[in-house]
Amino acid sequence: MGRWICCLCSRVADPLMLLLILALSCNPSTAATASPSVPHVKPSYSFGRTFLGLDKCNACIGTSMCKKFFKEEIRFDTWLSSHLKLPPSYLLSYLGNYTDDAKSWRMVDITRLTSKYQHDRADKRICTSLLKTKTCSLEHALRRTPRFQKWLQAKRLTPDLVQGLSSPMLRCPSQRLLDRIVRRYAEVPDAGSIYMDHLTDQDKLRLLYTLSVNSHPILLQIFPDVEGWPFPRYLGSCGRLVVSASTRPLRDFYGAAPEVAADLALQLLAVLRSMGTNDLNYFFYFTHVDAGTFGVFSNGHLFIRDASTLGIIDKEEGSQLTDGQPEYKDIFSCLTVDCQSASVSCSSIEDKHSLVMVCQELLPKLLTGKFQQPVQEKIDSFLQRCANGLDDDQDVNKAVAKLAELLRPLRSCDSRFAYRYPDCKYSDKF
């Protein structure tokens, strides 16, 4: 047909008409665009509200990252696969990938504040204890509690509003610490004030729920890494999932080379030192440490990976809850722990508390059997003195200082330690 028209065109007298007919009928690219194109079907995650925990909001952490999930700008570790499937919902944490421009991706950790089993058990407890039913609207049930009614009326977050919550961070609260929580709460569009006027009722319930279940994301928000605090960056949350910068747990380095082990041990001691002495006059202590408490970034820098067991004592203001007074308990006190569980007294926390714990639980697994004699014997001796914890704070600090002195020359200066290389190459101290 096209050939016949082209032949006919040669007999047309009007040159303009000839050009028009040729352009419409003899151009192969025009013919190609005329046919309908087959749409490209992009594989995508089939996100359910239940997997994210959105079906439980506003008894959840927040929604600041939900758009990223649904736009597939946050993907799980199989994001390059053509068969995108969600991982099992019962896992506590997931390795993910995050992008701002759909071109460059970076690793992130996607975690739950507690296991899905514990979440489900807590949800049932809310319904059965508050409304005497097996299932209910969690938001409706929690809104009716005396504690949340006080939160609704409060202009400022005060110690009595968090009394009895199980989070170690709130065991010895000061007004200065609580003001910092409100001022830096990242799940609201407008922060910066110590007063809760910018928080909606939903915001208040989400903040209270997060503090009741696990204060880890709140600590990441109020002591951000950009200010030098040893925590991974908080990126946001969706439902009951939290997104933060990715680190490998310290347990992955128990079999590391001696120079890597020495470097990580020194960083660990430095983190504990900064937690005890810092410009803001907060004293951080651990109630528990394990192989997942600390993590290491790809550049070799060590951070606190799990802040859920961190307690805080304000050395400037002190606690505004008195030890020994009857402690208020309610459903928010029991979401993740037994309501009758005993809490550590604020006055019983000593400066050596975290050092002794780390010397007992983590450093032996990192340093034992790594070095030549007699250096190894000396390291083991100072570790034992620290772990015994029978001496006063000054003696424990001396043992730790001697341990650090032994470890410094055992480090190396190369690209494996990108967080301090090539600076160490030109440092007189190295």
Side-chain angles (χ1 to χ4, degrees):
M1 180 67 177
R3 183 179 299 174
W4 178 83
I5 293 177
C6 289
C7 293
L8 179 63
C9 292
S10 61
R11 301 184 183 181
V12 178
D14 191 339
L16 291 177
M17 183 61 72
L18 174 62
L19 289 174
L20 179 61
I21 293 175
L22 285 173
L24 290 175
S25 23
C26 300
N27 189 341
S29 63
T30 304
T33 55
S35 60
S37 60
V38 178
H40 175 66
V41 179
K42 179 183 177 183
S44 62
Y45 287 115
S46 215
F47 270 115
R49 291 169 58 83
T50 302
F51 180 86
L52 296 170
L54 278 172
D55 58 326
K56 304 297 175 62
C57 279
N58 290 297
C60 64
I61 312 165
T63 55
S64 59
M65 276 284 132
C66 289
K67 285 184 179 179
K68 286 281 186 183
F69 275 104
F70 287 110
K71 289 168 67 177
E72 293 180 27
E73 293 174 348
I74 295 178
R75 295 183 177 183
F76 293 90
D77 58 355
T78 55
W79 70 275
L80 288 176
S81 170
S82 59
H83 305 288
L84 298 174
K85 294 181 180 179
L86 289 174
S89 61
Y90 58 78
L91 296 178
L92 189 59
S93 64
Y94 312 90
L95 194 60
N97 296 271
Y98 175 98
T99 185
D100 288 316
D101 55 13
K103 296 177 182 177
S104 58
W105 294 81
R106 53 191 165 121
M107 302 298 291
V108 293
D109 288 332
I110 304 169
T111 56
R112 301 183 188 277
L113 296 190
T114 187
S115 69
K116 190 173 186 303
Y117 168 75
Q118 288 176 303
H119 269 311
D120 292 343
R121 189 172 65 172
D123 294 343
K124 289 179 182 177
R125 187 183 295 131
I126 292 170
C127 294
T128 54
S129 63
L130 296 180
L131 297 182
K132 312 301 180 186
T133 59
K134 291 184 178 180
T135 59
C136 68
S137 165
L138 298 177
E139 179 176 359
H140 177 65
L142 293 176
R143 275 176 171 272
R144 294 174 57 180
T145 59
R147 187 190 295 263
F148 187 65
Q149 289 301 311
K150 288 182 181 178
W151 273 62
L152 289 178
Q153 302 301 319
K155 293 290 184 182
R156 196 174 182 182
L157 186 59
T158 51
D160 61 296
L161 295 178
V162 298
Q163 185 189 12
L165 298 185
S166 62
S167 168
M169 183 182 75
L170 301 173
R171 176 62 193 146
C172 315
S174 68
Q175 188 59 58
R176 187 168 70 114
L177 176 63
L178 298 179
D179 287 344
R180 190 176 182 88
I181 291 174
V182 173
R183 192 171 64 248
R184 295 185 168 219
Y185 182 44
E187 286 298 317
V188 295
D190 179 26
S193 171
I194 63 172
Y195 297 102
M196 295 198 289
D197 298 336
H198 62 285
L199 300 184
T200 65
D201 293 357
Q202 292 178 344
D203 297 331
K204 289 182 179 180
L205 182 56
R206 291 174 184 177
L207 177 57
L208 174 55
Y209 179 84
T210 307
L211 290 172
S212 302
V213 175
N214 187 331
S215 58
H216 169 77
I218 303 299
L219 272 159
L220 269 55
Q221 294 169 43
I222 66 177
F223 297 108
D225 67 308
V226 293
E227 294 179 3
W229 297 97
F231 301 109
R233 181 166 300 180
Y234 176 81
L235 298 173
S237 62
C238 182
R240 289 180 170 178
L241 293 179
V242 177
V243 184
S244 59
S246 179
T247 58
R248 288 176 61 192
L250 188 63
R251 70 170 68 90
D252 290 359
F253 296 86
Y254 284 166
E259 61 272 19
V260 175
D263 183 82
L264 292 175
L266 281 168
Q267 287 193 71
L268 187 50
L269 295 176
V271 165
L272 295 182
R273 196 179 305 117
S274 69
M275 295 284 91
T277 306
N278 51 75
D279 293 341
L280 292 185
N281 243 353
Y282 288 116
F283 175 71
F284 296 77
Y285 66 94
F286 286 99
T287 58
H288 170 78
V289 294
D290 58 36
T293 302
F294 295 89
V296 183
F297 283 118
S298 58
N299 65 356
H301 207 171
L302 181 137
F303 274 60
I304 296 173
R305 188 171 190 256
D306 179 5
S308 62
T309 62
L310 265 181
I312 302 177
I313 295 175
D314 191 336
K315 293 196 291 187
E316 189 171 301
E317 285 190 4
S319 172
Q320 297 189 13
L321 292 178
T322 307
D323 281 339
Q325 72 181 65
E327 193 168 52
Y328 176 76
K329 297 280 189 179
D330 64 353
I331 188 64
F332 290 101
S333 311
C334 317
L335 291 181
T336 56
V337 297
D338 181 2
C339 275
Q340 305 305 316
S341 59
S343 300
V344 178
S345 168
C346 300
S347 58
S348 67
I349 305 299
E350 300 176 304
D351 290 347
K352 65 181 180 181
H353 183 89
S354 296
L355 278 173
V356 172
M357 201 175 290
V358 166
C359 287
Q360 289 173 342
E361 301 294 332
L362 302 182
L363 288 180
K365 297 172 183 175
L366 194 62
L367 298 175
T368 300
K370 289 287 175 69
F371 308 100
Q372 300 280 336
Q373 297 295 358
V375 174
Q376 183 69 60
E377 185 178 352
K378 292 179 180 179
I379 288 175
D380 294 342
S381 174
F382 288 123
L383 265 181
Q384 190 60 49
R385 282 179 56 184
C386 172
N388 283 340
L390 300 176
D391 302 325
D392 59 24
D393 289 341
Q394 190 174 1
D395 287 336
V396 170
N397 286 330
K398 283 182 181 177
V400 169
K402 288 290 185 181
L403 179 62
E405 189 178 317
L406 283 169
L407 292 173
R408 281 191 194 96
L410 300 175
R411 296 182 301 170
S412 64
C413 181
D414 58 62
S415 57
R416 287 176 298 171
F417 311 100
Y419 78 96
R420 57 179 172 84
Y421 181 84
D423 294 349
C424 59
K425 199 172 182 180
Y426 307 102
S427 172
D428 295 334
K429 297 180 181 179
F430 204 87

